[in-house]
Amino acid sequence: MRRFNVILPLLPPGAALAVLLWAGRAAAQPLPVLPNINIDIGGASEGAGLVPTLQLLVLLTVLSLVPAFLVLMTSFTRVVIVLGFVRGAIGTQQVPPNQVIAGLALFLTVFLMRPVYMQINDTALQPYLAEQITQEEAYARAAEPVREFMFRQTREKDLALFVNMAGMERPAGREDIPLPVLVPAFVISELKTAFQMGFMLFVPFLIIDMVVASTLMAMGMFMLPPVMISLPFKLLLFIMVDGWHLVIKSVVESFI
């Protein structure tokens, strides 16, 4: 209360009355009691109690890696890179925005991978839910359609590179190639294909930029940025040829 005796003379009458009422109420009520919380972390004394814990840990780890699986083991990589090249070739910096490009690439990935997912559901997921196969058999059956998809899109040169770097013997067949070797080979194959398609997209827009820049130089308009003049022409060309239809058609057909 000594602190209030020093502060109260400095406050207006209404504020001083409010402080006194609050102080009296606080003194009349007891302080709240914090609950006692105990956390007991014990260890499993037997191996049977440890197995479910390890399975849960593995499941959480796999769920945290789902975005990496989506990017590196599906058609997402090629699609999103090609769409990014389209935006760069036209010259629009943030149109369409990154959210639209990523969303379109995601739905195209679902469309392209739908046969693979249906095969996984028919051969692995439904039999496992019906308790017809074990968990290990379900994993093996689910991996086969994904491996088949990646093998179709992976170049033999890229696959041989990682087989040699892994120090493996020459595999007799596809079943002898593990996923840690197949996935990086698939990724660099997808990157090469995506960059090839991006180069083909850049060529017509590059020609427009060169023509506009040469015309401006011939007219002596050195201070006018060529990009400002070429951008409307590139947009007009892209609209006239129905560019998004052609790009999406080319991307989808590249996986068939």
Side-chain angles (χ1 to χ4, degrees):
M1 296 297 295
R2 294 180 179 178
R3 296 180 181 178
F4 291 115
N5 293 335
V6 177
I7 298 175
L8 288 177
L10 302 178
L11 297 176
L17 179 60
V19 170
L20 287 175
L21 292 176
W22 175 83
R25 183 178 300 177
Q29 295 180 355
L31 295 176
V33 179
L34 296 177
N36 187 15
I37 301 175
N38 294 323
I39 300 176
D40 186 13
I41 302 177
S45 58
E46 297 181 359
L50 186 61
V51 172
T53 305
L54 294 178
Q55 291 179 347
L56 179 60
L57 180 61
V58 172
L59 178 61
L60 294 176
T61 304
V62 171
L63 291 178
S64 65
L65 295 177
V66 167
F69 294 156
L70 175 64
V71 172
L72 300 180
M73 299 177 65
T74 63
S75 59
F76 183 85
T77 301
R78 184 188 306 184
V79 175
V80 75
I81 291 177
V82 171
L83 294 179
F85 271 120
V86 172
R87 184 175 66 180
I90 297 175
T92 54
Q93 299 298 325
Q94 296 296 330
V95 179
N98 294 330
Q99 294 84 351
V100 174
I101 290 181
L104 179 58
L106 180 60
F107 278 97
L108 285 176
T109 302
V110 173
F111 175 79
L112 290 168
M113 300 298 295
R114 185 171 179 269
V116 178
Y117 297 152
M118 292 180 63
Q119 188 176 355
I120 293 175
N121 181 69
D122 295 337
T123 61
L125 182 59
Q126 294 302 326
Y128 175 70
L129 295 178
E131 298 183 355
Q132 298 176 358
I133 58 176
T134 62
Q135 187 175 10
E136 290 75 13
E137 292 176 345
Y139 288 156
R141 292 188 181 185
E144 285 303 319
V146 180
R147 287 170 57 89
E148 183 63 26
F149 170 79
M150 289 192 292
F151 272 119
R152 289 200 307 266
Q153 308 301 328
T154 305
R155 295 177 174 83
E156 294 184 0
K157 179 180 179 181
D158 299 329
L159 192 58
L161 171 65
F162 284 95
V163 169
N164 294 332
M165 288 193 299
M168 297 173 51
E169 298 181 357
R170 184 179 180 88
R174 291 181 174 181
E175 62 278 0
D176 297 332
I177 299 177
L179 277 177
V181 175
L182 176 59
V183 171
F186 168 75
V187 172
I188 64 173
S189 296
E190 288 291 284
L191 290 175
K192 182 177 181 179
T193 304
F195 274 70
Q196 288 175 345
M197 299 180 68
F199 172 77
M200 298 302 296
L201 289 169
F202 259 96
V203 171
F205 298 107
L206 180 61
I207 293 175
I208 294 177
D209 287 333
M210 294 175 62
V211 171
V212 171
S214 301
T215 304
L216 292 178
M217 291 182 62
M219 296 175 63
M221 303 175 67
F222 299 101
M223 301 301 296
L224 185 63
V227 178
M228 185 181 300
I229 306 300
S230 62
L231 180 59
F233 289 100
K234 290 190 288 186
L235 290 175
L236 180 62
L237 173 65
F238 195 72
I239 294 172
M240 290 179 61
V241 300
D242 199 0
W244 289 114
H245 175 83
L246 294 177
V247 170
I248 299 303
K249 179 181 178 182
S250 301
V251 172
V252 173
E253 290 181 347
S254 65
F255 288 96
I256 300 176

